[in-house]
Amino acid sequence: MDQKQPVGRSPVKRNSKGKRVDSGKRQMIINAYKSKLESDSTKSLRTIRQELSKELGIGATTISTTITEYNNSKTVISPSKTRIKTSFRDTYYEEFERNVVRRHVHSFWFKREIPTVDKIHKAVSDDDSLPNISRTNLFRLLKDMEFRYSKRSRNSALTEKTEIVLWRRRYLEQLRKYRDEGRHLYYLDETWVNAGECTSKTWIDTTIKSPRDAFLQGLTTGAVNPTGKGKRLIVLHIGSEDGFVPGALLCFESKKNTRDYHDEMNGETFYEWMEGVLPRLKENSVIIMDNASYHSVKIDKAPTSQNKKDDIIKWLVDKGEIIDRHMVIQQLLEIVKRIKPQHQKYAVDELAKKHNRVILRLPPYHCELNPIELAWSSVKNYVKMNNKTYKLPDVKKLLIEGVERVNADMWKNFISHTKKEEDKFWEIDFIVDDVLSAEVEPVVMTIGDTTSDESSEIESD
């Protein structure tokens, strides 16, 4: 029998998914929440939120967020009218978290166990340091991180893209060569620091036994810190086993309201900074950095299909190629593709050569091979622990103090830790070869499930 609505009471109309809950409705949530707390002090907060969701027709997440914001700020905040649609790349996992995911993948190989998405998803879900992520989005994330479904011999597995493995092998081989030659290694990188960087601190009062008590007494269960991150500083520096290079710090205020701080940098700014830094470095040294686009502005860029035929011919002739005028553009571009690697030059690499320095680029998605990441972690932690005003000039001062605190001994420890990571990456590729080449029973592998759509999607790339 169908359950009937009580006489004289209209059914609750649910708030449409994605529709803004304005300040009026949010105030209604807070009033109803206060009323329930006062009428029944034994009821759990979870139960109250669920009841409010049913009674008001508003999602439990919105109710929970509204209450949390009110507890922290004592005001009802009206949401932004503009909803910014984000992809899973924005919603899930920054670069650090991605590296943790890859370590989970590699952990299976170190155990000589073939990884699947189901196994990886369980490992990621059990890792308290990582945000929650669905299996579907984990699959997308792994694909975005250049993992591919591959078959070797009788086995199938989730492996890293060939180009990534080759880049990593070349990097590690070249790095070992430079160390054997006794060349001094410098590591550079950019980061950002928000004006709202702070630690989560709670005032301890033994008379307060629960969040409910705190709410009823008009107290907050957390520090009244800025609800937004506010303005931020973009930071660029370089260091080695001797510490950060004196006078090399570049720090400026962000002017763009974008998620990715890399948007603030450009090839011109980076080139000018390098011009001032290179004379400060030791002779015949090596500069290690990632492959960000502004690190790799090309000189004499090779032509593409977007170029006119005469321009393609001129570029090839300038490189000493003998061209048949009866060739079509596709044939000319095939020659361009063949000779491009030997003529590819980067602006900062040529600048470094003039100063008797050399550039070595990290493989993509391998920030854990750069010890300056550990230095940045120390600097940011210092800012968080000491940020009291959340004002950009004060944060900049704390940043400089944090940089000065990272001494040579700390840098040596960071580099020592990074060398262990290098050894793991060197070993993992051999383990993958051994496991996939072993004469064992074939493993049924469709990226953790029997759904052929996912495996074929990965294979097609």
Side-chain angles (χ1 to χ4, degrees):
M1 182 181 293
D2 294 336
Q3 190 174 10
K4 295 182 179 180
Q5 188 73 20
V7 178
R9 182 177 177 182
S10 301
V12 175
K13 184 178 179 181
R14 300 292 298 178
N15 190 68
S16 301
K17 187 176 181 181
K19 185 179 179 181
R20 293 172 62 247
V21 177
D22 59 29
S23 58
K25 288 184 178 179
R26 288 175 182 253
Q27 186 62 61
M28 179 176 64
I29 292 172
I30 297 302
N31 292 340
Y33 184 62
K34 286 181 178 180
S35 176
K36 284 186 176 290
L37 284 176
E38 292 170 352
S39 63
D40 188 353
S41 61
T42 63
K43 194 174 292 186
S44 70
L45 297 180
R46 178 188 291 271
T47 300
I48 292 175
R49 287 196 294 265
Q50 291 173 344
E51 290 179 355
L52 288 175
S53 178
K54 291 179 181 179
E55 294 171 6
L56 302 178
I58 299 173
T61 300
T62 300
I63 288 176
S64 178
T65 301
T66 301
I67 293 169
T68 300
E69 289 176 348
Y70 180 81
N71 285 342
N72 287 334
S73 64
K74 291 304 174 189
T75 59
V76 176
I77 302 171
S78 183
S80 170
K81 293 183 179 181
T82 304
R83 286 178 61 88
I84 301 174
K85 186 177 180 180
T86 57
S87 70
F88 81 95
R89 293 176 181 84
D90 299 321
T91 307
Y92 298 99
Y93 291 45
E94 301 286 353
E95 188 173 14
F96 173 79
E97 285 85 3
R98 288 175 177 235
N99 290 326
V100 176
V101 171
R102 186 171 58 247
R103 281 200 288 273
H104 280 301
V105 177
H106 286 175
S107 69
F108 288 102
W109 289 115
F110 279 118
K111 292 183 291 187
R112 296 186 173 271
E113 180 181 344
I114 293 178
T116 68
V117 169
D118 282 340
K119 292 178 182 177
I120 299 164
H121 185 239
K122 185 179 186 310
V124 168
S125 299
D126 292 342
D127 190 335
D128 293 336
S129 70
L130 293 174
N132 292 329
I133 185 171
S134 69
R135 183 186 181 281
T136 299
N137 277 326
L138 176 63
F139 174 83
R140 293 171 179 166
L141 178 68
L142 290 167
K143 185 178 178 182
D144 197 54
M145 291 168 61
E146 305 288 0
F147 280 93
R148 295 293 180 264
Y149 177 76
S150 63
K151 298 179 181 178
R152 295 190 204 172
S153 184
R154 302 171 65 191
N155 293 319
S156 304
L158 190 66
T159 61
E160 288 171 289
K161 196 174 179 180
T162 301
E163 289 80 358
I164 298 296
V165 175
L166 291 175
W167 191 326
R168 185 167 65 216
R169 300 301 295 182
R170 286 194 295 266
Y171 170 81
L172 293 173
E173 289 168 356
Q174 197 65 40
L175 187 63
R176 290 185 174 194
K177 173 177 174 290
Y178 288 143
R179 285 201 178 113
D180 290 342
E181 293 172 353
R183 301 175 75 165
H184 199 81
L185 305 179
Y186 291 95
Y187 303 86
L188 72 80
D189 189 36
E190 302 83 7
T191 190
W192 81 102
V193 176
N194 291 304
E197 292 282 359
C198 56
T199 56
S200 297
K201 299 178 182 178
T202 303
W203 177 263
I204 299 175
D205 187 336
T206 57
T207 65
I208 304 299
K209 303 300 182 183
S210 69
R212 184 189 294 104
D213 293 337
F215 186 90
L216 292 172
Q217 295 187 34
L219 302 176
T220 173
T221 55
V224 186
N225 294 328
T227 55
K229 291 293 186 179
K231 296 181 179 180
R232 63 181 174 182
L233 298 169
I234 307 302
V235 190
L236 171 60
H237 214 336
I238 184 170
S240 71
E241 63 182 14
D242 296 334
F244 277 115
V245 176
L249 175 64
L250 174 64
C251 180
F252 59 92
E253 181 181 347
S254 168
K255 299 299 182 183
K256 297 181 180 180
N257 186 25
T258 59
R259 182 179 180 88
D260 190 354
Y261 66 93
H262 289 94
D263 293 343
E264 301 286 340
M265 291 292 291
N266 57 58
E268 183 179 353
T269 300
F270 182 71
Y271 189 90
E272 290 176 357
W273 177 80
M274 282 288 286
E275 284 182 313
V277 166
L278 285 168
R280 302 173 184 271
L281 309 183
K282 293 183 178 181
E283 283 290 322
N284 199 33
S285 57
V286 179
I287 303 164
I288 297 168
M289 60 186 184
D290 63 31
N291 65 325
S293 58
Y294 46 84
H295 291 169
S296 307
V297 177
K298 294 177 182 178
I299 298 175
D300 191 17
K301 192 175 181 180
T304 67
S305 58
Q306 303 301 314
N307 292 95
K308 294 180 180 179
K309 184 174 183 179
D310 288 344
D311 293 335
I312 299 174
I313 291 174
K314 183 179 184 306
W315 189 87
L316 289 169
V317 171
D318 290 344
K319 302 299 179 286
E321 294 293 316
I322 299 174
I323 302 301
D324 184 346
R325 290 283 173 175
H326 297 293
M327 287 182 174
V328 296
I329 287 180
Q330 287 82 353
Q331 290 175 301
L332 295 172
L333 290 176
E334 186 66 25
I335 301 174
V336 171
K337 182 179 178 181
R338 174 173 54 82
I339 71 170
K340 182 170 64 174
Q342 66 195 66
H343 295 286
Q344 188 166 263
K345 295 180 180 179
Y346 298 108
V348 293
D349 295 57
E350 296 304 305
L351 177 64
K353 286 180 183 178
K354 293 179 182 178
H355 291 81
N356 192 30
R357 281 55 160 172
V358 67
I359 302 291
L360 179 62
R361 285 177 175 78
L362 289 155
Y365 322 114
H366 285 69
C367 70
E368 67 266 55
L369 294 181
N370 193 344
I372 199 173
E373 296 290 348
L374 299 173
W376 287 141
S377 179
S378 176
V379 172
K380 286 188 175 185
N381 185 60
Y382 179 81
V383 174
K384 287 180 179 180
M385 295 298 294
N386 294 278
N387 190 6
K388 301 295 189 299
T389 67
Y390 315 117
K391 295 179 180 178
L392 208 60
D394 295 335
V395 171
K396 184 174 183 179
K397 181 181 178 183
L398 289 173
L399 170 73
I400 295 171
E401 292 174 2
V403 167
E404 291 172 348
R405 288 169 61 88
V406 181
N407 56 35
D409 288 338
M410 294 173 68
W411 263 94
K412 287 182 174 66
N413 288 334
F414 298 155
I415 293 172
S416 176
H417 174 82
T418 303
K419 286 181 178 179
K420 294 177 183 177
E421 295 296 317
E422 294 168 9
D423 292 339
K424 290 180 181 178
F425 277 117
W426 181 265
E427 183 182 358
I428 195 70
D429 297 320
F430 290 112
I431 293 175
V432 172
D433 283 348
D434 290 345
V435 172
L436 293 183
S437 300
E439 289 297 327
V440 296
E441 288 299 315
V443 178
V444 178
M445 176 65 183
T446 54
I447 311 301
D449 203 341
T450 55
T451 49
S452 58
D453 291 343
E454 289 183 354
S455 57
S456 60
E457 181 185 351
I458 268 194
E459 285 183 287
S460 65
D461 286 347

